[in-house]
Amino acid sequence: MQESSRVGDPDEPERSFADARAKVSWAKFNLIYLEKKFADLTKEFQKSGGASYNSKAGQFAIGNAPVDPFYSCLAGDIVFSLRSALDCCWMGLRRAIDSEAGKGTLPRGNPESVEAVIQKASLRTKFPAAAEFILSELKPFKNGNETLWFIAQVDNWNKHNMLMLVIQHSHFEDARFNGQGIEIKLTNSGIVNFPDDNGIIGSPAFGPIYLDQTSSVSCELILCLQKPADKRPLIPFLKAALQETERGVGRFADFFGSGASPRQAE
């Protein structure tokens, strides 16, 4: 389509900004639920320390608490909502110029590649501040706003939004387990990933073992990206991603929405 024949959608970019805000709200709702469910799991883990007893085999084991794939699915949905919220804002600008603009995503590479995509989108005639806004304020690249960049790296919508690389890490700062003729003490040690049927530590036993309730144990979910290698606690990352995305959507509306100054938007 020739640039001169482009017709913009008069409802854009406001409609896309509204969609973006809805996605942020949905991510916030799901994150609150994810936090609650994981807090329940953590509370149970702190009572048992991951200790289990198989009466048929006469064995005990210590491992991570079982974590349902629900956590990976929900985390994937949250990440997708946050990434696509800013994609909506980007597409709102493009469709304000060309109502038939194809599906696209906010550029999030290095500054040079981001600028090249912005220039190719031909936003300058209607939104002259777009390049400066994205490059100097939003900065969705690794050496800029790293959180906004990382959201796109871990989003795997083509895998149905399940984050396959969410693993679990348990830490025993000072844990004491006791049973019938068994005493185990774990100090400053940890277990990574989900447990197998035998757990991490296993031994014959004549009965269950119990965690001393003065012990200090904790567990958390880890978001693990293989390429490039990167690990970080999942829920703190999602909180930061929500905060940065909500701010980014708000700033898009400030710069290019109906209330923006002519210098910025037109």
Side-chain angles (χ1 to χ4, degrees), residues 24 31 78-79 82-83 86 145 147-148 150-151 234-248:
V24 169
L31 180 52
I78 294 168
V79 166
L82 294 176
R83 194 221 72 197
L86 288 177
N145 190 321
T147 299
L148 294 182
F150 196 71
I151 291 172
L234 175 67
I235 292 178
F237 166 71
L238 291 179
K239 286 184 175 181
L242 174 64
Q243 181 179 14
E244 291 299 321
T245 301
E246 189 168 31
R247 175 186 173 276

Side-chain angles (χ1 to χ4, degrees), residues 16-32 77-89 108 148 151 238-252:
S16 290
F17 293 165
D19 290 345
R21 286 189 287 268
K23 286 177 176 290
V24 169
S25 295
W26 182 237
K28 185 181 298 185
F29 175 85
N30 283 319
L31 180 52
I32 291 171
D77 288 344
I78 294 168
V79 166
F80 173 75
S81 293
L82 294 176
R83 194 221 72 197
S84 59
L86 288 177
D87 291 347
C88 280
C89 293
R108 307 191 198 217
L148 294 182
I151 291 172
L238 291 179
K239 286 184 175 181
L242 174 64
Q243 181 179 14
E244 291 299 321
T245 301
E246 189 168 31
R247 175 186 173 276
V249 170
R251 295 302 286 156
F252 257 107

Side-chain angles (χ1 to χ4, degrees), residues 164-243:
M164 301 299 294
L165 300 179
V166 174
I167 64 174
Q168 186 182 3
H169 176 263
S170 298
H171 182 70
F172 301 87
E173 184 176 340
D174 182 15
R176 293 171 298 283
F177 297 88
N178 289 280
Q180 299 180 24
I182 296 174
E183 183 176 358
I184 297 173
K185 183 175 182 180
L186 298 176
T187 302
N188 196 25
S189 55
I191 300 171
V192 178
N193 220 327
F194 300 113
D196 56 25
D197 293 339
N198 298 317
I200 305 301
I201 301 174
S203 176
F206 299 104
I209 64 171
Y210 301 93
L211 175 67
D212 185 329
Q213 292 305 295
T214 63
S215 300
S216 177
V217 300
S218 62
C219 65
E220 63 183 350
L221 296 175
I222 303 294
L223 179 56
C224 177
L225 183 66
Q226 290 181 333
K227 295 180 180 180
D230 197 328
K231 294 181 181 179
R232 59 190 72 191
L234 175 67
I235 292 178
F237 166 71
L238 291 179
K239 286 184 175 181
L242 174 64
Q243 181 179 14

Side-chain angles (χ1 to χ4, degrees), residues 147-167:
T147 299
L148 294 182
W149 170 82
F150 196 71
I151 291 172
Q153 308 310 304
V154 297
D155 177 51
N156 54 354
W157 57 270
N158 58 331
K159 296 181 178 64
H160 307 290
N161 295 349
M162 174 185 282
L163 291 187
M164 301 299 294
L165 300 179
V166 174
I167 64 174

Side-chain angles (χ1 to χ4, degrees), residues 3 6 97 115 118-132 135 264-266:
E3 185 169 349
R6 293 180 180 180
I97 298 170
E115 184 173 15
I118 295 170
Q119 297 303 326
K120 187 176 180 180
S122 301
L123 302 178
R124 185 175 296 277
T125 55
K126 187 172 181 62
F127 302 107
E132 181 181 357
L135 291 169
Q264 293 172 331
E266 296 295 339

